[in-house]
Amino acid sequence: MVRNIKITVAYDGTSYNGWQTQTNGTGIQQVMEEAASKIMKQKVEITGSGRTDSGVHALGQVANFRADTRIPQEKIKIALNAVLPDDISVLDSEDVPLEFNSRFDAHDKTYMYQIYNSRIGDPFLRNYSCFVPSNLDTEKMERAFRLVEGEHDFYGFMAAGSQAKTTVRTVYETRFERHGNLIKLFITGNGFLYNMVRIIAGTLIDIGKGTKEVSCIEKALEERERSVLGQTAEPQGLFLVSVNYKKGLTINYK
Amino acid sequence: MVRNIKITVAYDGTSYNGWQTQTNGTGIQQVMEEAASKIMKQKVEITGSGRTDSGVHALGQVANFRADTRIPQEKIKIALNAVLPDDISVLDSEDVPLEFNSRFDAHDKTYMYQIYNSRIGDPFLRNYSCFVPSNLDTEKMERAFRLVEGEHDFYGFMAAGSQAKTTVRTVYETRFERHGNLIKLFITGNGFLYNMVRIIAGTLIDIGKGTKEVSCIEKALEERERSVLGQTAEPQGLFLVSVNYKKGLTINYK
């Protein structure tokens, strides 16, 4: 009997060419499809909630696949982890209705961007944060971060060449956390345009340094203009924290 | 004028063949000597407080080198960090008396061993911990860990082929910490034999699993016998935390 299995996956994206390979290198989706096909003894195609770029990490990416199998739902994660490389872990596996689609049914997603703000880099965070040695005005960064909350046309916050049908998105919540030298930017929304979180993070870094003003966020929202914003922050600081499918908002921070 | 410079170094040992290369691959010492020679425009030889094995990390390794230079002491770390790869960071640089030797003058060292104890591996800790999916009796592990405290002949806690003049060492303090799924074993002593911390950690893991008894520690100390102890734990869980040169004990935990 064909079942639809939903899996929650954590991965260190350092060695991969993103979730979905388009050019050279190995994609996480491809590695997972090979593992699932091996376990299920059939060709398995996996749908992810969305792509992550090369070097981007996930604490709770969600994906689903259909397979004709009798393996109990909770054993599927064990079987997958036994064959997956140790930079990818399946945290959960469960049966969902056949019509469930991890991409189209997502209600909201939470991302986190990590900035390591110190005069000297931390060797252990080099693949998991953006290193900023300059002084940062975090009060301004926090204020600017709150300006992206709400329903806006984020056209100016999108990398060139994107093909989104609509550029209107709702940001439900932002959260600015500082733990010693580490700054964590959490953002939850109903969807994000291509590079949107990295453009927000990069602009906040520039605002913190003083090379951009807080008001550039409002300007970019009004004028739909990428050029008034700051840099696109490096990929290795970005983590897909969670994908939520429940109606009614539940924000999960790790 | 020739000066003696003491440096404190953090490194992610994942990509290196240990502190000092003996065979193939690149050693951290070698990379640091190349960086220092470049900055100082002379051939620089670096003495470390001790070797770390391939895959072992440091939060505060200490080394020293002599050089004829006018670079102010606090600028040396900045210059070195500018040329070093981002998995090695010089945290501090300072002038010390010409006779200071980071190896022979060390009063005590602190190591930490990390165990990730969960059914599912954490992709972000794979290079920084030993993954143990079995249940662990941490009360027994903690009790066994305390048994290594004090002055003992640790002959049984040494890898074969070591050439230590004496195998008597003093362990000043052990500390067992549990943070969620992560177990941290801290150990401070006046010196450690080759693989001693990894043999202690591996034996504690075996005691936690129930394949070794707490009493094997006492037995190995009395009988000077390696075979009564457990496995040598994997290198990637080990961190050299700090090296202390002051008389009178100061234990620095990170």
Side-chain angles (χ1 to χ4, degrees), chain A residues 152-168:
Chain A
H152 300 285
D153 183 346
F154 285 99
Y155 183 87
F157 292 73
M158 181 174 66
S162 306
Q163 295 170 325
K165 280 183 205 158
T166 163
T167 51
V168 175

Side-chain angles (χ1 to χ4, degrees), chain B residues 89-233:
Chain B
S89 284
V90 180
L91 306 178
D92 200 23
S93 54
E94 58 171 323
D95 276 291
V96 285
L98 274 179
E99 63 273 19
F100 173 84
N101 180 302
S102 59
R103 183 170 168 208
F104 297 115
D105 294 345
H107 175 271
D108 59 89
K109 286 184 187 181
T110 298
Y111 280 91
M112 175 184 66
Y113 195 90
Q114 291 201 136
I115 300 163
Y116 187 69
N117 181 220
S118 173
R119 302 304 286 263
I120 298 169
D122 183 326
F124 302 98
L125 291 175
R126 73 192 189 286
N127 293 326
Y128 311 109
S129 65
C130 171
F131 171 45
V132 180
S134 350
N135 287 331
L136 291 175
D137 185 333
T138 52
E139 186 275 320
K140 276 190 183 172
M141 293 170 73
E142 199 167 350
R143 195 145 45 90
F145 199 23
R146 276 197 299 268
L147 295 175
V148 301
E149 291 185 356
E151 186 183 76
H152 301 284
D153 183 346
F154 284 99
Y155 183 87
F157 292 73
M158 181 173 67
S162 304
Q163 296 171 323
K165 280 182 205 159
T166 163
T167 51
V168 175
R169 295 288 184 277
T170 302
V171 171
Y172 297 118
E173 192 177 338
T174 64
R175 189 142 110 188
F176 188 98
E177 292 184 5
R178 178 141 202 165
H179 309 266
N181 293 330
L182 196 63
I183 294 169
K184 295 182 181 213
L185 308 171
F186 288 93
I187 185 166
T188 301
N190 64 352
F192 295 91
L193 301 168
Y194 187 55
N195 277 359
M196 178 170 152
V197 182
R198 288 171 53 194
I199 292 170
I200 293 171
T203 302
L204 293 187
I205 292 168
D206 288 346
I207 289 169
K209 285 176 178 172
T211 57
K212 286 282 173 188
E213 293 299 323
V214 174
S215 58
C216 76
I217 300 276
E218 285 151 323
K219 201 165 183 229
L221 290 173
E222 281 162 28
E223 300 179 8
R224 302 173 83 246
E225 180 51 50
R226 171 72 185 88
S227 67
V228 305
L229 294 170
Q231 56 171 322
T232 303

Side-chain angles (χ1 to χ4, degrees), chain A residues 118-176:
Chain A
S118 174
R119 302 303 286 264
I120 298 170
D122 183 326
F124 301 98
L125 290 174
R126 71 192 191 286
N127 294 325
Y128 311 109
S129 65
C130 170
F131 171 46
V132 180
S134 350
N135 288 331
L136 290 175
D137 184 334
T138 53
E139 186 275 321
K140 276 190 181 171
M141 292 171 74
E142 199 168 349
R143 193 144 45 90
F145 199 22
R146 275 198 298 270
L147 294 175
V148 301
E149 290 184 357
E151 187 183 75
H152 300 285
D153 183 346
F154 285 99
Y155 183 87
F157 292 73
M158 181 174 66
S162 306
Q163 295 170 325
K165 280 183 205 158
T166 163
T167 51
V168 175
R169 295 288 185 277
T170 302
V171 171
Y172 297 118
E173 192 178 338
T174 64
R175 189 142 109 188
F176 189 99

